[in-house]
Amino acid sequence: AGGSADVYPRFAGTSEWDVAAAHAVANAAGAAVTDLSGVPLRYNKPSIRNPSFIVSVPGFPWERFVSDDDRARASDEGFDEPRALDDAADDRSDVGSGLRPA
């Protein structure tokens, strides 16, 4: 948000709560937060897991730095840690029913 970088790629698994606040700050600073296809990152999805994403300033040609291998890995939703977090939240009796849709 301070303007010291043009792009931030994130290829490791994250969940919605890991990114939401930083996404708001990046948007307020004029940056875009998109998946590797250029689609804006979404929230309140059936799964709380995020795809790989890019934060970039307008006009930065980040697409040329993302390989076909990066895109292939991003389309695979098989990373384990965030799935385990989803499963743990589903099994906890102290998690309110309003936190996730049934």
Side-chain angles (χ1 to χ4, degrees), residues 1-6 8 21-31 55 57:
S4 61
D6 292 327
Y8 170 76
H23 186 164
V25 170
N27 282 163
V55 181
V57 297

Side-chain angles (χ1 to χ4, degrees), residues 16-17 44-49 82-83 85-91 95-102:
E16 289 182 350
W17 62 72
N44 298 318
K45 308 175 302 288
S47 171
I48 61 173
R49 293 173 300 168
R83 183 178 301 277
L85 290 172
D86 278 352
D87 294 342
D90 289 341
D91 295 337
V95 175
S97 62
L99 293 178
R100 295 192 46 191

Side-chain angles (χ1 to χ4, degrees), residues 5-41:
D6 292 327
V7 66
Y8 170 76
R10 179 63 187 218
F11 298 112
T14 62
S15 295
E16 289 182 350
W17 62 72
D18 297 322
V19 177
H23 186 164
V25 170
N27 282 163
V33 182
T34 64
D35 67 16
L36 299 186
S37 298
V39 176
L41 209 58

Side-chain angles (χ1 to χ4, degrees), residues 54-89:
I54 301 283
V55 181
S56 65
V57 297
F60 186 83
W62 61 264
E63 296 89 348
R64 68 182 197 193
F65 298 100
V66 177
S67 71
D68 290 339
D69 288 341
D70 294 328
R71 286 186 177 85
R73 278 192 298 274
S75 67
D76 176 19
E77 292 191 9
F79 52 86
D80 293 329
E81 187 177 352
R83 183 178 301 277
L85 290 172
D86 278 352
D87 294 342

